[in-house]
Amino acid sequence: LLCAWLAGCAPAKTPAAAGPSPQVIETSPAAPLPTSTPELVPQITLAPGEHYLRVDDQPRFVFSRNIAGYQQAHFAPMLSWTRDAGDAFVRLQLDDFGMGYRPDGSLDENWAAQWDREFDEAQSKGIHVLPVFGVWYEWNSGPGYSMWADNPLNQAKGGPAASPAELFKPDSVTQAAWMEWMRTLVERWAPRDNILGWEIFSEVNLASGVTQSSGVAFVNHAAEVIRAADHLDRPVTASLAETGTWPDF
């Protein structure tokens, strides 16, 4: 996975004080909130002009985990293992609990509440999180793994998109709905102490109908939306599958 911090990324500031899942929202009882004494979340920042993170203002090589599960109960032990290994943050693809939007693009509150609890659990263990809003197989109508048939924004599910390519068309109804959904989540989670940054899309070059130019434009527009919504100006990133393509990404 090739991750690129976007050019011009503002410094991350913190307040002082993969396996994909089917589009089914879990109905099992919610995992209890942590009852142990929360651990202090370290301050992780990216200073202007620097290319490496600082932890409590000291340059440090930061280890992370890419954890995934289908139910809330899957995450608690993995977060504990992450803490015990001394890792600083976890990357979380938000589709683990299904796609969190409805056919009109509005936020699924039950889905969002599940992630609220996971972020609380991570904070109680002193761990930062990097939420990943989109992933290629949600927008893949071609060969290989695909969740396109279950995507709520698919016309077949009552949404506006006749094809995945509409996500990458400027000013399309589909792109506007997705961007507004993402903005709502950034505003919801920006006040949290343990948000490291935001990943717009995972392996964007594997989505159906996307080109390098439309993919770059989509990522840059999403970054603008995030920076307008996050008052702490955290780092924003996106990722490619390393296929030897998109040299200008």
Side-chain angles (χ1 to χ4, degrees):
L1 205 75
L2 186 64
C3 288
W5 294 108
L6 298 179
C9 168
K13 310 170 194 169
T14 48
S21 64
Q23 178 59 20
V24 177
I25 300 300
E26 289 292 329
T27 57
S28 56
L33 291 176
T35 57
S36 58
T37 302
E39 298 186 18
L40 181 64
V41 178
Q43 187 179 62
I44 302 180
T45 56
L46 182 64
E50 294 190 353
H51 301 285
Y52 299 93
L53 296 171
R54 290 175 175 262
V55 179
D56 293 332
D57 204 34
Q58 296 299 313
R60 179 176 150 191
F61 190 81
V62 177
F63 290 93
S64 68
R65 300 280 171 161
N66 192 50
I67 66 175
Y70 295 145
Q71 300 174 11
Q72 286 195 281
H74 296 162
F75 285 87
M78 289 188 283
L79 288 169
S80 293
W81 299 332
T82 298
R83 175 201 58 201
D84 295 344
D87 297 335
F89 74 93
V90 291
R91 179 178 179 269
L92 297 171
Q93 289 192 180
L94 297 180
D95 70 302
D96 282 352
F97 294 150
M99 285 169 262
Y101 40 80
R102 303 186 187 282
D104 63 355
S106 61
L107 177 65
D108 185 325
E109 281 289 341
N110 291 332
W111 172 92
Q114 291 187 87
W115 283 116
D116 289 342
R117 289 189 286 270
E118 292 311 319
F119 293 176
D120 288 343
E121 178 79 12
Q123 173 138 358
S124 77
K125 292 175 166 58
I127 299 169
H128 287 259
V129 298
L130 177 69
V132 184
F133 296 109
V135 63
W136 68 275
Y137 47 74
E138 299 169 351
W139 300 92
N140 174 37
S141 60
Y145 190 79
S146 173
M147 292 291 291
W148 171 241
D150 298 314
N151 191 320
L153 293 178
N154 186 337
Q155 278 186 355
K157 304 292 285 187
S163 74
E166 293 192 23
L167 179 66
F168 305 100
K169 291 181 180 178
D171 303 321
S172 70
V173 173
T174 300
Q175 185 177 113
W178 193 90
M179 293 288 178
E180 177 62 16
W181 168 78
M182 181 188 66
R183 182 194 63 78
T184 300
L185 289 173
V186 172
E187 291 184 345
R188 182 189 189 105
W189 292 329
R192 289 179 170 270
D193 292 345
N194 68 326
I195 300 292
L196 174 69
W198 316 97
E199 184 170 335
I200 296 163
F201 213 91
S202 176
E203 300 181 314
V204 63
N205 56 327
L206 297 184
S208 296
V210 69
T211 64
Q212 178 175 240
S213 60
S214 66
V216 168
F218 169 81
V219 166
N220 285 337
H221 178 41
E224 293 172 356
V225 171
I226 290 173
R227 288 176 181 142
D230 180 10
H231 66 290
L232 295 179
D233 293 331
R234 296 176 177 92
V236 182
T237 186
S239 61
L240 292 178
E242 183 48 84
T243 61
T245 59
W246 289 27
D248 298 327
F249 181 72

